[in-house]
Amino acid sequence: MSDMSETKKNRLSGVVRAQIDQWMTRYPAEQKRSAVIAALTFAQEENKGWLSEELMEAVAEYLDMPRIAVFEVATFYTLFNLKPVGRHIINVCTNISCMLCGCDKIVEHLQTKLQVQFNETTQDGKFTLREVECLAACAGAPMFQIGKKYYEYLTPQKVDAILEELE
Ligand code: FES
C-alpha cells in the first residue's frame, strides 16, 4: 500500500491552500496558527460564505492546530458563518445611536419586505438578515452593512433602492 493511499486528502482547495501559504509568509514558520483567521476567511469565501465542520477541520489540519482551537475562533467571531447564508448578508445595527435614530423602522421594513426574522435567509437564497452591535458608523445612523459596504442615513425608501441594486 502506498503512502498516498494512507494520507487523507485535505479538503481545502489548491486555491485556498495557496492563499493560506501566502498569508503564512508573514509569520515565523513555527507560528502557523497565527494565520487561522485569514485561513478561515479564505475557506469561507470559497464556500459561498459559510464554514462547514469539515472545512474547519481541514484548516486545523493544515495549520497543525487542535480542532477545538479552530472551532473556538470560528464560533467567537461573527464574521464566520457556521451554516449556509444568502448571497448578501444584511448586518443591521440596532445599538444605541441607531436605535435613537429609528432603526426599529428599518428592521420592521426589512423583515416585512424580505419575510424573514433575524438570522434567517430569504427563500430565494438572496439575503440573510442579521442584527449586529455598533459598527462604528454612529454619525450615519441608522445604518446597515452589506458585504464590505456601509449604508447610512437609511429610510425605508432608501432600503428598497439599495436592495433593488443587488444581484
Ligand atoms: S450605534 Fe449603530 S453604528 Fe454605532
Side-chain angles (χ1 to χ4, degrees):
M1 196 185 305
S2 74
D3 283 350
M4 282 301 286
S5 63
E6 290 174 8
T7 307
K8 206 171 107 191
K9 197 167 172 291
N10 190 283
R11 290 184 194 87
L12 298 176
S13 72
V15 171
V16 170
R17 278 183 277 140
Q19 287 173 310
I20 298 172
D21 289 347
Q22 170 67 27
W23 196 269
M24 282 196 299
T25 60
R26 299 162 186 236
Y27 309 110
E30 70 280 9
Q31 293 294 329
K32 285 204 276 186
R33 62 171 50 201
S34 300
V36 64
I37 290 181
L40 288 170
T41 303
F42 298 139
Q44 175 169 276
E45 277 172 4
E46 196 187 60
N47 193 46
K48 296 186 175 168
W50 74 287
L51 289 168
S52 63
E53 203 172 315
E54 289 75 21
L55 274 178
M56 290 188 279
E57 284 173 2
V59 167
E61 182 187 310
Y62 201 65
L63 298 182
D64 289 329
M65 290 176 68
R67 288 187 318 168
I68 186 67
V70 173
F71 290 180
E72 280 170 358
V73 172
T75 53
F76 180 78
Y77 292 103
T78 53
L79 79 152
F80 296 122
N81 305 304
L82 305 183
K83 59 180 191 180
V85 290
R87 291 199 299 285
H88 305 284
I89 299 175
I90 306 172
N91 289 314
V92 189
C93 173
T94 57
N95 216 297
I96 188 73
S97 300
C98 288
M99 188 180 78
L100 292 172
C101 291
C103 72
D104 54 331
K105 288 199 175 52
I106 301 303
V107 170
E108 193 184 321
H109 183 69
L110 282 165
Q111 290 180 332
T112 305
K113 183 181 175 71
L114 301 177
Q115 290 291 294
V116 290
Q117 299 298 306
F118 283 131
N119 300 317
E120 290 180 356
T121 297
T122 53
Q123 290 224 326
D124 61 3
K126 190 168 178 183
F127 297 106
T128 296
L129 187 63
R130 287 242 187 86
E131 179 177 35
V132 296
E133 299 296 335
C134 179
L135 289 172
C138 312
M143 62 81 66
F144 61 44
Q145 175 197 25
I146 302 178
K148 292 180 177 159
K149 195 164 172 190
Y150 279 15
Y151 299 87
E152 302 177 350
Y153 308 108
L154 294 173
T155 62
Q157 294 74 19
K158 225 171 149 178
V159 168
D160 289 346
I162 292 164
L163 299 193
E164 193 70 30
E165 294 263 297
L166 297 169
E167 292 297 314

